[in-house]
Amino acid sequence: MASKKVFHLSLGLFLSLYFCLAQAAVILQYHHVSETLPRVTSLSESEFSDHLSFLKEHDYQVVPLHQIIEAIKQQKSIPDKTVALTFDDGFINNFTQAAPILKRFNYPYTIFVNPQLIDEGKSYVMNWQQLRELSKAGAFIANHSAKHDYLHVLEKGESFSQWQERMRHDITHSELRIKQEIGHNFKYLAYPYGEFNQALQELVAELGFVGIGQHSGAVSKHTDLTRVPRFPASGIYANLETLKTKIASLPFAFKVDAKSVTNNTKPQLKLSFLEKDFNKGRFNCFIAGNTAKITWLSDNHVEIQAEKELNKGRSRYNCTAPSKAKPGRFYWLSHPFVVAN
């Protein structure tokens, strides 16, 4: 009798964990759909069509980004195999090349735009009329800052309080322009270049915005809404064979202790796991193609550090571990660092 109780208890815990893990989604990030622009941020029309065909053929539910964000805010479950599509910068080829493909699949998507660049009439981005056309057809338009600056960087001679005021104006005025021209505003900010620091995260939260990055990982109820991850799907990341694994990835449930902008060329990343469906021995991290030093402080606390000095500029610590409850699927997280001058 006791063994049956233990069995039922174990089964209950397993099922509880299994369905908890299913409450996750993946957000994909694109820039250009073009064969003539730099490959680093581009993919071809055929590659993009292949991505969408894969989602449809494998029964992924492509939903508006705000459906995922609201579920996180309300701590509601997110059905497994949920995906959102996003584009950064509002390039003209999103209108000419990407939109017809998306219309064919009838998939919703979000475009993060820079209102000041649109107002200045820059030729490489869509104008407001084109964005209104896409919005009427089901696209969602959101904030990518006024003109794609490095938001966390203080200008020469600028005080911290002056920076805060400049950022408040940049973010809120950009949001106002979107509302004026498109009619909706979601108060989402996709960080230009995916770069942010703690002060910017705090300001974004104070303004009631959601901050969205370019670091990899799935999302769940544990996701920090000032640093929402997305999987880049352009350039070298457009390869569908590797993208399949990322689309099926699971989100680590963790709290992070690390500065995203630092002068340290060997920055340390500390993670505290809230749930753990993986073996410590199969938890691996990579930095710029090199393995990282991993030190487990306890069953749920780990320190990760680069073994080689990082170059100035952007780097990412990428960590994965295979799921025990869902064989064949991987937990995935990425933490962005900017090694400053």
Side-chain angles (χ1 to χ4, degrees):
M1 190 72 170
S3 61
K4 286 186 178 181
K5 287 183 178 179
V6 171
F7 172 78
H8 287 303
L9 180 61
S10 299
L11 179 61
L13 288 172
F14 174 82
L15 291 174
S16 175
L17 179 60
Y18 183 92
F19 287 111
C20 180
L21 298 178
Q23 298 174 13
V26 162
I27 305 169
L28 298 180
Q29 180 217 19
Y30 296 93
H31 285 90
H32 294 286
V33 177
S34 169
E35 295 185 31
T36 60
L37 291 167
R39 176 65 179 172
V40 66
T41 55
S42 304
L43 80 168
S44 67
E45 291 175 72
S46 63
E47 286 175 314
F48 187 50
S49 293
D50 287 345
H51 289 189
L52 303 191
S53 294
F54 172 81
L55 296 175
K56 183 170 287 292
E57 290 167 6
H58 291 81
D59 299 320
Y60 282 90
Q61 299 301 308
V62 178
V63 303
L65 177 62
H66 61 82
Q67 188 170 315
I68 294 174
I69 299 298
E70 287 306 308
I72 297 171
K73 285 182 176 179
Q74 298 174 27
Q75 295 288 281
K76 290 185 176 179
S77 63
I78 303 172
D80 197 20
K81 303 187 77 171
T82 297
V83 174
L85 306 173
T86 66
F87 292 81
D88 282 10
D89 306 328
F91 292 115
I92 188 68
N93 55 64
N94 293 176
F95 184 81
T96 56
Q97 269 75 39
I101 298 171
L102 287 155
K103 183 178 180 181
R104 193 166 75 239
F105 284 86
N106 194 30
Y107 280 162
Y109 56 100
T110 298
I111 304 174
F112 292 100
V113 301
N114 306 106
Q116 184 173 327
L117 299 183
I118 302 171
D119 289 339
E120 291 174 354
K122 301 298 184 185
S123 61
Y124 52 87
V125 297
M126 287 178 280
N127 58 39
W128 289 117
Q129 180 55 38
Q130 290 167 325
L131 288 167
R132 280 192 288 272
E133 286 184 40
L134 295 186
S135 176
K136 289 176 183 177
F140 301 91
I141 314 304
N143 195 338
H144 199 31
S145 82
K147 52 190 178 73
H148 211 280
D149 286 335
Y150 291 92
L151 300 187
H152 61 85
V153 178
L154 274 67
E155 294 180 345
K156 187 176 181 179
E158 185 177 46
S159 68
F160 181 73
S161 60
Q162 289 171 329
W163 168 83
Q164 285 181 310
E165 188 56 35
R166 179 167 61 87
M167 283 302 99
R168 283 193 185 95
H169 180 266
D170 184 306
I171 296 167
T172 58
H173 183 70
S174 297
E175 193 72 18
L176 176 62
R177 290 295 295 124
I178 292 169
K179 185 175 183 181
Q180 289 171 335
E181 296 289 347
I182 306 300
H184 62 233
N185 68 308
F186 292 97
K187 300 188 80 172
Y188 301 162
L189 174 69
Y191 299 118
Y193 311 102
E195 293 188 11
F196 55 87
N197 61 4
Q198 186 173 348
L200 182 57
Q201 288 177 263
E202 290 172 356
L203 182 60
V204 163
E206 175 194 317
L207 294 172
F209 276 69
V210 172
I212 299 172
Q214 295 181 24
H215 52 291
S216 302
V219 300
S220 73
K221 65 179 182 179
H222 298 294
T223 296
D224 182 341
L225 287 171
T226 66
R227 46 168 294 150
V228 177
R230 295 182 290 170
F231 278 106
S234 304
I236 62 173
Y237 305 110
N239 184 325
L240 186 54
E241 289 307 309
T242 55
L243 190 62
K244 290 176 184 177
T245 301
K246 298 173 183 177
I247 293 173
S249 66
L250 298 166
F252 284 108
F254 66 92
K255 290 184 178 180
V256 62
D257 179 9
K259 292 182 178 180
S260 291
V261 179
T262 177
N263 292 321
N264 188 349
T265 56
K266 289 186 177 181
Q268 190 178 71
L269 173 64
K270 295 181 181 180
L271 301 174
S272 300
F273 292 104
L274 308 175
E275 297 170 359
K276 193 157 69 63
D277 167 49
F278 60 91
N279 293 319
K280 291 191 301 182
R282 302 194 69 186
F283 177 82
N284 293 299
C285 297
F286 298 88
I287 305 165
N290 300 307
T291 55
K293 180 182 177 183
I294 298 173
T295 305
W296 285 94
L297 306 177
S298 70
D299 279 345
N300 295 315
H301 297 82
V302 66
E303 289 182 351
I304 305 145
Q305 190 165 28
E307 294 188 320
K308 295 183 178 180
E309 290 193 353
L310 303 182
N311 295 326
K312 296 289 191 294
R314 292 192 292 276
S315 295
R316 291 193 179 97
Y317 286 25
N318 296 306
C319 301
T320 61
S323 167
K324 291 192 293 184
K326 291 195 170 184
R329 297 179 68 176
F330 285 80
Y331 288 94
W332 196 301
L333 74 84
S334 175
H335 181 81
F337 280 108
V338 178
V339 178
N341 292 319

